[in-house]
Amino acid sequence: MLRVVSWNINGIRSPVQGVGNEEPSNCTAMAMGRILDKLDADIVCLQETKVTRDVLTEPLAIIEGCNSYFSFSRNRSGYSGVATFCKDSATPVAAEEGLSGLLATQNGDVGCYGNMDDFTQEELRALDSEGRALLTQHKICTWEGKEKTLTLINVYCPHADPGKPERLAFKMRFYRLLQIRAEALLAAGSHVIILGDLNTAHRPIDHWDAVNLECFQEDPGRKWMDHLLSNLGCQAGSHTGPFIDSYRCFHPKQKGAFTCWSTVSGARHLNYGSRLDYVLGDRTLVMDTFQASFLLPEVMGSDHCPVGAVLSVSSVPAKQCPPLCTRFLPEFAGTQLKILRFLVRLEQDPVFRQSALQLSNQTPVQMRQNKARVRSTRSRPSQAGSSRGQKNLMSYFQPSSSRPRASSNLELPSLGTLMTPKTSEEDVMANVVEGRAKASEAKDEKEGSRTMS
């Protein structure tokens, strides 16, 4: 079985109330890991993460047992953004930011973009600049043993602000681009799931006060969904669009099935909400593999609740994560040395230990020869300083004459006790050789005195 869950988390760094009846908790690595565990999904798609790359922390991005993928807003900080977390058992074969292909890197991308000739390059760039779409492509195996391709499109569709008509136009163009990309993937032979916050309540049953909303069915977003989705759910032969609303397929008449509530006091308690979050699957996929589609209104922590589906397929994990994986970002990939690296005692350093082990097997004569050879390679005092006027590292730790000196009864640790100096390998080796040689000389003298006595 493959379980996928989507959740508009309303800020991945904001305080998140634990799943179920747990106490509120900051969304640290432990809290994020607990949320993923409680959602019990192979793939978790988050929307409205509200982080940009410069403020994303490693504990939120890299969770043990998972590989993650983020799309960030390029325009505003603390705005929009989506993320997909996949268990290692569901590692995707490809991953890509955006719908247009302009953010593609040609290495590990999903591909299949369709005909976008009616969009300008500037428009496509604007539609993808808010971090609203993230694609992951997976290999799945059906119960019949057939291997197929499944593409998940994690989306956070724009909200149409009544006071900003340009945002309605932006929303509709985003919808159009989403449909073009999804249909292109279907045409290429991939199954497709669109999941996330679509920011539209499709039918009157999906909104608590639809009867009092003027021209409810005339809303452009609802008309777009009419063309995207099958009219009669899972009933064969009566559909117009290539996708099925999986929740209405399994619960066609369920009232009060909402996923978003106003933050006004009591709205969620009274269930005055709307259904804005969906798991849409292509018709063949839903008919053949979907076993359930569900809402999780008991999960707190956001003004939205999670939604999800269960498929009767198994995931075939890729052997290696695609390049977009967060763990490959330079800031998380280990290319930068952490400060703790400089706080390790010298004798704990693996390079030092290996060198010391090699030296321990040398004779006293060999050690004296090495000592002389290393000393001959050291820089002379006149050459030690930089001829270009660069400051010595220690100069930055000298007290400034303009600053008040610390109280004489306050003892500050020396720099040497806080970090290992940047000693060259020759100096390290020389120190080891010198120490070993002195110890050997002392031993020889001691044994010689004993003999004479």
Side-chain angles (χ1 to χ4, degrees):
M1 293 292 179
L2 180 70
R3 178 180 167 101
V4 297
V5 171
S6 171
W7 190 14
N8 180 322
I9 202 170
N10 193 24
I12 198 171
R13 294 189 303 158
S14 62
V16 175
Q17 181 169 335
V19 179
N21 297 321
E22 296 179 7
E23 294 298 322
S25 170
N26 287 330
C27 196
T28 60
M30 183 179 298
M32 192 66 208
R34 185 167 63 248
I35 288 172
L36 296 177
D37 288 342
K38 289 290 186 178
L39 292 177
D40 190 26
D42 300 288
I43 303 172
V44 175
C45 296
L46 305 178
Q47 301 87 42
E48 207 170 357
T49 57
K50 295 184 179 181
V51 291
T52 46
R53 178 171 168 176
D54 59 315
V55 297
L56 181 66
T57 62
E58 185 173 344
L60 289 179
I62 302 178
I63 306 297
E64 185 177 358
C66 293
N67 47 94
S68 65
Y69 308 84
F70 279 74
S71 182
F72 310 100
S73 171
R74 267 76 171 168
N75 300 331
R76 295 166 53 185
S77 181
Y79 177 74
S80 191
V82 294
T84 299
F85 288 80
C86 305
K87 282 187 177 180
D88 290 341
S89 58
T91 299
V93 296
E96 183 182 330
E97 275 193 271
L99 298 171
S100 69
L102 293 182
L103 302 180
T105 63
Q106 309 303 320
N107 183 14
D109 296 326
V110 173
C112 302
Y113 302 103
N115 187 348
M116 301 179 184
D117 290 346
D118 60 335
F119 292 87
T120 66
Q121 290 291 299
E122 291 76 15
E123 188 177 16
L124 291 174
R125 191 171 292 106
L127 290 170
D128 272 345
S129 67
E130 295 185 355
R132 293 185 175 274
L134 184 63
L135 284 71
T136 55
Q137 193 165 75
H138 307 257
K139 291 296 183 182
I140 57 173
C141 185
T142 66
W143 64 273
E144 300 169 327
K146 296 180 180 180
E147 190 171 294
K148 297 185 177 182
T149 301
L150 170 63
T151 304
L152 269 67
I153 308 180
N154 176 5
V155 290
Y156 173 44
C157 295
H159 170 68
D161 189 336
K164 297 179 179 180
E166 69 277 7
R167 290 303 290 180
L168 175 59
F170 185 88
K171 176 178 181 176
M172 297 311 300
R173 293 299 277 173
F174 186 90
Y175 278 158
R176 175 62 181 154
L177 184 60
L178 171 60
Q179 185 170 356
I180 289 174
R181 186 70 188 274
E183 291 180 349
L185 286 161
L186 285 176
S190 174
H191 286 298
V192 177
I193 291 178
I194 302 172
L195 70 170
D197 181 357
L198 298 189
N199 251 318
T200 294
H202 185 205
R203 300 197 179 281
I205 195 174
D206 299 319
H207 195 288
W208 76 276
D209 196 29
V211 294
N212 293 320
L213 296 178
E214 186 177 356
C215 303
F216 183 87
Q217 292 296 144
E218 299 303 313
D219 178 80
R222 295 184 179 96
K223 287 188 173 183
W224 172 78
M225 292 189 72
D226 287 340
H227 289 92
L228 181 72
L229 300 177
S230 298
N231 285 335
L232 299 177
C234 290
Q235 297 180 20
S238 301
H239 71 284
T240 58
F243 288 90
I244 288 177
D245 176 353
S246 66
Y247 185 79
R248 284 302 171 204
C249 177
F250 288 91
H251 312 278
K253 298 181 180 180
Q254 181 65 52
K255 296 181 179 180
F258 305 138
T259 67
C260 181
W261 300 263
S262 170
T263 54
V264 176
S265 179
R268 187 163 187 169
H269 176 71
L270 298 172
N271 201 25
Y272 292 159
S274 56
R275 192 167 69 96
L276 305 181
D277 304 85
Y278 300 82
V279 179
L280 311 178
D282 69 81
R283 186 174 182 83
T284 301
L285 183 70
V286 174
M287 295 289 293
D288 292 347
T289 70
F290 272 53
Q291 298 298 301
S293 186
F294 55 86
L295 314 180
L296 298 174
E298 72 278 5
V299 176
M300 310 299 290
S302 171
D303 54 346
H304 291 248
C305 76
V307 301
V310 178
L311 289 69
S312 60
V313 300
S314 59
S315 177
V316 182
K319 294 182 179 179
Q320 183 176 350
C321 298
L324 188 64
C325 183
T326 314
R327 70 177 59 161
F328 296 143
L329 292 177
E331 55 266 42
F332 302 141
T335 57
Q336 296 177 339
L337 291 176
K338 298 181 180 180
I339 193 170
L340 288 178
R341 170 64 181 83
F342 297 99
L343 300 179
V344 176
R345 295 182 61 185
L346 186 60
E347 60 267 26
Q348 295 175 346
D349 189 286
V351 176
F352 176 88
R353 289 201 305 267
Q354 184 178 4
S355 301
L357 181 61
Q358 294 172 350
L359 289 171
S360 65
N361 296 324
Q362 294 182 351
T363 65
V365 174
Q366 289 175 321
M367 287 192 291
R368 292 190 184 95
Q369 291 174 346
N370 285 336
K371 175 182 175 182
R373 182 165 54 253
V374 171
R375 280 180 173 174
S376 66
T377 62
R378 291 184 181 177
S379 300
R380 296 180 181 276
S382 59
Q383 298 173 342
S386 172
S387 61
R388 298 183 181 180
Q390 293 180 343
K391 293 184 177 181
N392 184 282
L393 176 64
M394 294 298 295
S395 66
Y396 291 98
F397 295 89
Q398 300 299 324
S400 172
S401 59
S402 60
R403 298 177 185 170
R405 292 184 177 271
S407 174
S408 59
N409 60 359
L410 178 61
E411 294 185 3
L412 297 177
S414 65
L415 179 63
T417 63
L418 295 177
M419 60 186 295
T420 303
K422 282 193 173 182
T423 310
S424 66
E425 187 174 351
E426 287 98 357
D427 288 343
V428 174
M429 295 288 288
N431 290 335
V432 174
V433 171
E434 187 173 0
R436 296 281 298 179
K438 288 181 177 180
S440 178
E441 291 172 356
K443 182 178 180 181
D444 291 343
E445 293 175 359
K446 187 175 181 179
E447 290 179 351
S449 62
R450 287 180 178 176
T451 303
M452 292 178 64
S453 63

